[in-house]
Amino acid sequence: MKKLQNQLAMFQVSEIKVIYQPKLKASERLSVSCSKDVFNVFRQSWDMNRIQLVEQFKILLLNRANKVLGIYEVSSGGMSGTVADPKLIFAAALKGYAAGIVLAHNHPSGNLKPSQADINLTRKIKEGAMLLDIAVLDHIILSPEDSYYSFADEGLL
């Protein structure tokens, strides 16, 4: 009997479902066309009570017309860093049917200069996204002083 149960257990697998249920019609979605537009969208969604306290990493999901599908918080870390797992980024982008993404994180210190780790992560995500036919359009670093740094504007993308 136990042998039969073990054999049956081998054939039981979890079912994976992928669904997409947008809250807005395509015509009602916000459109972005430049880094300032993207910064404003992120700024509206950022918890301003934590921007000087902890580093957070988020992605903006966009359709082919650069209309906002949503924002996904990838991680929230400590004062000097957070872990942005590419697997989580791509899982969210794929589940959201995103044609493009914009990466964003804050620097609680207010220093907008990207670290070498920021540059390396951006490069790694961009390379992975190319395999999935997802465009990485920018990486924005936000500061508590209502300013930002755009990798695309600075030619680092």
Side-chain angles (χ1 to χ4, degrees):
M1 183 70 149
K2 186 166 178 134
K3 185 176 180 182
L4 178 61
Q5 287 176 335
N6 286 342
Q7 287 175 339
L8 290 174
M10 286 180 15
F11 296 107
Q12 293 180 351
V13 295
S14 299
E15 182 179 349
I16 306 293
K17 291 184 180 181
V18 177
I19 61 169
Y20 178 65
Q21 297 173 322
K23 293 182 179 181
L24 296 173
K25 295 176 187 173
S27 61
E28 297 172 340
R29 292 184 188 132
L30 183 63
S31 183
V32 294
S33 61
C34 64
S35 63
K36 183 69 172 173
D37 292 346
V38 171
F39 167 71
N40 287 330
V41 171
F42 276 121
R43 189 80 170 157
Q44 292 298 315
S45 74
W46 222 272
D47 182 350
M48 298 314 290
N49 293 319
R50 298 180 70 202
I51 197 166
Q52 293 186 68
L53 180 63
V54 295
E55 191 167 309
Q56 296 177 292
F57 197 101
K58 300 181 183 190
I59 60 169
L60 183 68
L61 306 174
L62 301 167
N63 69 10
R64 293 209 182 279
N66 286 343
K67 292 199 173 199
V68 176
L69 298 171
I71 294 176
Y72 175 70
E73 183 176 319
V74 176
S75 65
S76 184
M79 292 181 74
S80 61
T82 190
V83 176
D85 188 334
K87 291 181 287 299
L88 293 175
I89 292 168
F90 294 129
L94 290 169
K95 187 169 183 180
Y97 295 101
I101 59 173
V102 176
L103 314 171
H105 74 283
N106 65 304
H107 282 174
S109 67
N111 178 8
L112 290 175
K113 184 178 180 193
S115 68
Q116 191 59 50
D118 294 338
I119 294 167
N120 294 343
L121 177 66
T122 304
R123 186 177 301 123
K124 181 178 183 178
I125 293 172
K126 185 174 179 181
E127 289 171 4
M130 285 175 24
L131 296 173
L132 299 170
D133 199 25
I134 297 172
V136 176
L137 302 172
D138 205 345
H139 185 162
I140 301 288
I141 299 174
L142 295 90
S143 83
E145 287 84 36
D146 201 31
S147 57
Y148 70 98
Y149 180 95
S150 162
F151 278 56
D153 290 354
E154 299 299 324
L156 288 179
L157 205 56

